[in-house]
Amino acid sequence: MAFSDGLHFQAILSPGFQTIGTVMPGIPLPPSSPLSIEPISMRVPDACRFTGISRSTLYLLIARGEVEVVKMGSSTLVLTESLRGLIERHRAGNLGNL
């Protein structure tokens, strides 16, 4: 949808990150923009896509306490901050093995 002031807004959905606007078509807003939104949590399939790990690996990490989840009714919500922490811990561990 284009507005008279020349701004163009679009929704781009991706696991873990949602951009709800662009200043120019094809150029996403920076993460610091007030129009950028990152979810607090996500469902298991989205968490798998976000990290690139399998569903069974994610459940093993949850069982070991490496990934934090919240149960809301029948939904299992994986905390985004927990996934970022997991990746950072493994990244730091891998840097020591180089």
Side-chain angles (χ1 to χ4, degrees):
M1 170 185 277
F3 297 95
S4 60
D5 62 0
L7 295 178
H8 176 78
F9 289 88
Q10 63 186 12
I12 303 170
L13 301 177
S14 62
F17 188 77
Q18 180 181 13
T19 299
I20 59 172
T22 59
V23 176
M24 297 186 65
I27 301 173
L29 293 170
S32 61
S33 169
L35 294 176
S36 297
I37 300 171
E38 181 175 277
I40 295 170
S41 65
M42 61 188 80
R43 293 178 184 262
V44 169
D46 294 326
C48 291
R49 282 191 295 275
F50 184 74
T51 58
I53 62 176
S54 70
R55 183 181 177 95
S56 58
T57 299
L58 180 59
Y59 277 112
L60 286 172
L61 292 167
I62 291 168
R64 291 195 307 221
E66 292 188 48
V67 174
E68 189 177 355
V69 296
V70 175
K71 285 294 278 185
M72 295 196 72
S74 62
S75 297
T76 300
L77 300 175
V78 182
L79 301 181
T80 304
E81 182 179 319
S82 180
L83 292 174
R84 288 192 182 283
L86 172 76
I87 298 300
E88 287 300 319
R89 286 189 305 275
H90 283 266
R91 180 179 178 200
N94 289 338
L95 290 176
N97 295 331
L98 294 178

